[in-house]
Amino acid sequence: MLADQVDHVIGVDTHCDAHELAVVAASSGGVVARSSQRATPRGYAEALRFAASHASGVRVWAIEGSGHYGAGLARYLASHGEAIIEVGRTPRANQRLEGKDDRLDAIRAARAALGSDKLAVPRVGERREALRMLLATRRSAVDV
């Protein structure tokens, strides 16, 4: 279980313009700190500084949508030696019952990672991105 291997998990709810971050302590599942950062290289650097100041010890980033809106952040963190895992988005049924809240989604991402036995490592890199673009272009051409 991930909770036995790390001290903190930084949950990230990704969006086009900004990402919501939540630092969760692995031992208790309690929220240590929250932040919102722009989805830009400067914002990624600030997110890393935020994590360094609030998540000492062994940490892992649990990113929702690391293949889409979170791809830039995932690449940035990987290039700086950070451990990253991909977590699934909150099911729409839960969003209807509990409400959609980006700050809560970041916490949910971190806690989902803590309780997970199997961890999905995001596929980042130029080849992955090139393949994604090629398939998206093909789908749009076939749909026309």
Side-chain angles (χ1 to χ4, degrees):
M1 190 177 259
L2 181 64
D4 301 328
Q5 301 170 25
V6 299
D7 298 311
H8 294 92
V9 176
I10 300 102
V12 183
D13 184 37
T14 60
H15 295 278
C16 180
D17 298 324
H19 302 320
E20 291 293 326
L21 286 73
V23 176
V24 173
S27 59
S28 65
V31 178
V32 175
R34 294 180 187 168
S35 178
S36 180
Q37 301 297 334
R38 304 285 302 159
T40 63
R42 181 175 283 166
Y44 304 155
E46 186 59 36
L48 190 54
R49 282 191 292 277
F50 167 77
S53 65
H54 295 286
S56 59
V58 180
R59 66 177 175 247
V60 66
W61 296 74
I63 303 177
E64 285 187 347
S66 64
H68 192 59
Y69 287 138
L73 176 62
R75 279 192 300 270
Y76 180 87
L77 294 172
S79 72
H80 285 80
E82 294 290 313
I84 307 160
I85 57 173
E86 183 171 20
V87 293
R89 295 216 177 261
T90 305
R92 290 202 186 271
N94 288 0
Q95 289 178 4
R96 281 192 293 273
L97 295 173
E98 300 171 13
K100 173 73 173 116
D101 184 309
D102 297 335
R103 295 174 76 191
L104 287 177
D105 286 346
I107 296 167
R108 287 180 188 132
R111 288 182 177 157
L114 281 175
S116 180
D117 288 328
K118 293 184 180 180
L119 305 175
V121 177
R123 296 175 227 141
V124 296
E126 293 174 4
R127 288 184 178 177
R128 168 71 176 148
E129 186 64 16
L131 180 59
R132 187 186 70 76
M133 293 293 289
L134 179 65
L135 291 173
T137 303
R138 182 183 181 281
R139 273 192 302 273
S140 68
V142 171
D143 290 343
V144 173

